[in-house]
DNA sequence: CCAAAAGTGTTCACGGTACACCCATGC
DNA sequence: GCATGGGTGTACCGTGAACACTTTTGG
């Protein structure tokens, strides 16, 4: 059936789509390619998988190399294996997507090193190879998953306001949400713990800061609770 | 970072979980392993990916080899790459899952050739390597996906009764559904075309036979319709 | 006429949605 | 005192869930 066996010239790599939210924009991380083909073009962080390296480990490694990024959430996305997706050599790529907190205590990683940069997701440059397709797949997945798993919190600071949370969902889902209904729904889930604190340094009434209570979430899940926004 | 490069000893394979529904049971296809390790043990159909072979193509090929199965639906599931999942050699497996129509015109493929056999999913033998984990992942995916995509129809004959459809969902979702509510909901979606025919050779009132109208489904999708059961 | 499954409506509870104003704060 | 977003409640509607009997057919 197959003429070439697996090993002859087949390479296995990982590519990672990292998202961050910058209060009003969904951003993604890209870096300039060093090697051929397409050296100098923007592409997703990625690289070959070591023979004794776990897949997710490889994903974390390439992120550490690309801008010192350490995602709060990381999940396997899809495996891209079209025969001619890399012109040089048959390459199968296991893609991951990850979420990072961009806005934490006034942005330490907002200027990543190593030739990497954040782009507004809807205005990013064209990426090399099939990386635009990978990024689009990741975006669809994020959009779907954020609605039924509480992963959105991984994009916010540990303490956040309900308005930040709403803005996050609006950015990801690409539609406006009703403020009262949103707050009612989120608070009714009983997943947020009031931190007792409020925003500082704002020229208006400061908002309450909440934390996502993961223990409570897990407990509710065991009782059949389903997150949904 | 990684010590061994990709090629040294890293193998890429596909494994396929094939489901069928036999009126009252969810079944899955397994075959006896020929090669070491675990020769003779039950395992999922699978095999190495050829250097010039598409991933999905490889999945279809191994199914053709394992019992001449040709799935009506086939989708990539997940990529399993734990370092020691195969004791002989580092192997990364791209898993697919597929759906076949078992009950078509009195079962042509119900006795698959090539050392393969159908097992009731909940009573299957232990599978070699991490194939039980792969099968469980596929089952969860099927259970989730069948609720928001009309893929269940790929498990039924082209023409089917509403009772067959309901039994299908009951088997996959592992819970009973209310007959009137089920029929109301399905028919309200306006996705089924009445074939004008009825069951034959049944010792009771024969039921209407419906077809899934895929054209109509696609049209509705463009208008924002979301399938859901 | 009996067995077996097909087919059919109504009621109720709940959750989603639409919608507008006062409040607290910093400047 | 003004600008800015924070914070709050109610009414309506549509969908999901519960629930039982008559009809049609073959044997």
């Amino acid at each position: 059936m197959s003429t070439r066996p697996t090993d002859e010239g087949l390479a296995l790599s990982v590519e990672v789509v990292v998202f961050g939210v910058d209060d009003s924009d969904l951003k993604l991380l890209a870096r300039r390619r060093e090697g051929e083909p397409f050296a100098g073009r923007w592409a997703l962080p990625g690289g070959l998988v070591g023979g004794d390296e776990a897949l997710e480990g490889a994903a974390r490694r390439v992120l550490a190399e690309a801008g010192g990024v350490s995602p709060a959430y990381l999940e396997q996305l899809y495996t891209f294996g079209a025969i001619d997706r890399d012109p040089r050599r048959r390459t199968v790529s296991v893609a991951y997507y990850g979420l990072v907190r961009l806005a934490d205590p006034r942005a330490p990683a907002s200027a990543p090193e190593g030739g990497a940069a954040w782009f507004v997701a809807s205005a990013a440059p064209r990426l090399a190879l099939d990386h635009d397709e990978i990024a689009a797949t990741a975006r669809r997945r994020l959009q779907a998953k954020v609605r039924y798993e509480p992963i959105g919190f991984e994009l916010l600071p540990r303490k956040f306001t309900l308005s930040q949370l709403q803005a996050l969902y609006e950015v990801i889902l690409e539609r406006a949400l009703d403020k009262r209904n949103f707050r009612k729904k989120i608070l009714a889930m009983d997943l947020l713990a009031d931190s007792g604190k409020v925003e500082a340094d704002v020229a208006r009434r400061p908002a309450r800061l909440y934390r996502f209570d993961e223990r409570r979430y897990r407990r509710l899940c065991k009782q059949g609770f389903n997150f949904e926004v």
Side-chain angles (χ1 to χ4, degrees), chain A:
Chain A
M1 308 285 152
S2 64
T3 53
R4 280 199 272 166
T6 292
D7 302 80
E8 258 180 49
L10 193 154
L12 184 71
S13 70
V14 291
E15 317 287 342
V16 192
V17 187
V18 184
F19 293 111
V21 168
D22 177 349
D23 232 35
S24 56
D25 284 309
L26 181 67
K27 299 202 163 178
L28 70 82
L29 188 70
R31 68 158 183 203
R32 289 203 182 270
R33 276 178 76 87
E34 286 167 11
E36 289 299 333
F38 307 116
R41 287 269 304 273
W42 291 104
L44 296 174
L48 294 180
V49 177
D52 52 5
E53 185 181 39
L55 296 174
E56 184 176 318
R60 291 190 184 276
R61 173 177 56 80
V62 299
L63 288 185
E65 289 164 12
V69 175
S70 157
Y73 180 81
L74 186 63
E75 182 192 335
Q76 191 183 302
L77 175 64
Y78 195 78
T79 297
F80 295 81
I83 292 171
D84 53 2
R85 54 183 292 278
D86 187 320
R88 251 191 335 175
R89 182 185 189 194
R90 174 73 194 279
T91 303
V92 171
S93 282
V94 184
Y96 281 75
Y97 77 103
L99 308 178
V100 304
R101 304 180 204 281
L102 281 187
D104 228 339
R106 285 294 166 210
S110 64
E113 323 103 45
W118 290 101
F119 292 96
V120 174
S122 55
R126 279 189 72 176
L127 303 178
L129 303 164
D130 60 354
H131 290 192
D132 277 328
E133 185 192 348
I134 298 176
T137 303
R139 193 141 175 219
R140 283 193 299 272
R141 176 88 133 248
L142 174 63
Q143 200 161 351
K145 193 133 189 173
V146 85
R147 292 180 53 179
Y148 64 91
E149 299 261 5
I151 59 175
F153 302 105
E154 314 290 353
L155 289 161
L156 290 178
R158 301 277 177 192
K159 291 177 183 167
F160 52 85
T161 70
L162 288 178
S163 293
Q164 283 179 300
L165 186 63
Q166 180 177 345
L168 173 90
Y169 279 104
E170 290 181 332
V171 163
I172 295 176
L173 299 178
E174 301 180 283
R175 66 193 168 89
L177 301 173
D178 180 87
K179 183 162 68 156
R180 277 175 293 190
N181 293 336
F182 179 80
R183 295 163 98 91
K184 204 190 317 172
K185 188 165 188 175
I186 295 289
L187 291 176
M189 286 193 243
D190 202 36
L191 290 176
L192 300 189
D194 189 334
S195 73
K197 307 198 170 157
V198 294
E199 286 179 299
D201 303 320
V202 288
R204 59 177 141 88
R205 174 175 177 180
R208 281 193 151 98
L209 291 167
Y210 292 88
R211 282 182 305 101
F212 172 62
D213 190 335
E214 194 162 339
R215 296 182 63 84
R216 212 183 293 173
Y217 171 63
R218 277 205 256 270
R219 223 178 315 127
L220 287 170
C221 280
K222 280 179 197 154
Q223 297 162 27
F225 169 78
N226 275 313
F227 181 85
E228 192 182 336
V229 16

